[in-house]
Amino acid sequence: MIKRSVVLGCGSYLPQRLVTNAELANRIDTSDEWIVQRTGIRQRHIAADGEFTSHLAINAARAALRSADIDPQSIELIVLATSTPDNTFPATAVAVQNGLGITHGAAFDLQAVCSGFVFALATADNFLRTGAYKRALVIGAETFSRILDWNDRGTCVLFGDGAGALVLEAQDLPGTSADRGVLTTHLRSDGRHKSKLYVDGGPSSTQTVGHLRMEGREVFKHAVGMITDVIVDAFNATSLTAEDINWFVPHQANKRIIDASAHKLHIAPEKVVLTVDRHGNTSAASIPLALDVAVKDGRIKKGDLVLLEAMGGGFTWGSALVRW
Ligand SMILES: CC(C)(COP(=O)(O)OP(=O)(O)OC[C@H]1O[C@@H](n2cnc3c(N)ncnc32)[C@H](O)[C@@H]1OP(=O)(O)O)[C@@H](O)C(=O)NCCC(=O)NCCS
């Protein structure tokens, strides 16, 4: 028997305010047609004034705890992936811990931009598999609207706000690929690509929060290769194949990147969970938001094999295979 991190529940939260492409086209030189054609995005949710990343995260965490049907006090570890924390410090995870009324165990943030959720899942999985903790909350939560340059049409149309969370529990299982739980995770980073996707501010450099800057075409050029490489790593580590996958839940940045990755990996289009049209790119929140949509609408069921992947600023990229 080995320890596996099994998903007990998931939840998500989106701010109420919906911003359509048409509304953006009233403010900047863009069009619904351009945005849909290049990205697949039709709308995004934007946090209200005074609504912080921690607020979105607490709502998502509460929903995940409800779906897991467990006592929040049994959570010993909270790993929160975000690039848009409430404050430079303390970690937003600590605000979430406090919001849930938990005073034991550990809570910390993790920063890997759009790959943050996969990095956080891998981190929590490692703590659970070593027996350090029994139950964990893994959260991706973002208010990217706060770091966008709303005059830069090349970036501001792409992103949205939101949060998603999973509850994981360490369970002793046989150790085969038929086990439920996180079967394998693969993380990569390469800082040579920093200038292609970054925020032009920060506490140590400018003492400001800064704005997101991106060479979109350069990011696009690298994305599919990096995503497919790290998915092949996951297949090789488990002897599972694209045929075995029930659901592909990629980071939701751009429909064209998702379609090209699925095509290259021979993953059938009907297995791809797509939410970028409704949520835009919510960075670290996009995967748990998409998971929650597909669980709630009955697509992802217990025992299904789910493939996750993400790629983002750094560059960072990663994959995970999870049997639900
Ligand atoms: C951003 C992205 C959609 C741009 O699409 P693209 O086809 O590469 O477009 P380009 O940046 O080359 O720009 C093409 C033209 O559209 C224009 N354009 C850019 N944004 C626009 C917008 N929102 N509305 C209308 N026109 C726009 C550009 O100014 C350019 O005009 P020009 O030819 O007159 O100079 C695309 O590069 C992309 O999706 N990249 C990956 C981004 C990503 O996923 N990032 C997150 C990773 S986690």
Side-chain angles (χ1 to χ4, degrees), residues 47-67:
D49 289 346
E51 191 173 35
F52 301 164
T53 295
S54 64
H55 303 144
L56 311 186
I58 290 168
N59 283 324
R62 286 200 176 117
L65 288 163
R66 272 197 306 275
S67 103

Side-chain angles (χ1 to χ4, degrees), residues 29-31 34-35 38-39 114 153-154 157-159 197 214 216-217 219-220 251 253-254 256-257 281 311-313:
D29 182 15
T30 189
S31 65
W34 191 96
I35 300 170
R38 305 286 175 123
T39 71
C114 294
R153 67 177 182 170
V157 302
L158 304 175
F159 296 90
L197 178 49
M214 181 171 73
R217 215 177 297 182
V219 176
F220 201 105
H251 168 51
N254 183 311
R256 287 191 296 151
I257 294 175
N281 180 350
M311 182 264 183

Side-chain angles (χ1 to χ4, degrees), residues 34-41 158 214 216 220 223 227 250-261 274 276-277 280-281 309:
W34 191 96
I35 300 170
V36 171
Q37 194 198 7
R38 305 286 175 123
T39 71
I41 298 167
L158 304 175
M214 181 171 73
F220 201 105
I227 290 163
H251 168 51
Q252 308 281 323
N254 183 311
K255 186 176 183 303
R256 287 191 296 151
I257 294 175
I258 293 171
D259 289 347
S261 306
L274 201 78
V276 71
D277 54 336
N281 180 350
E309 64 77 7

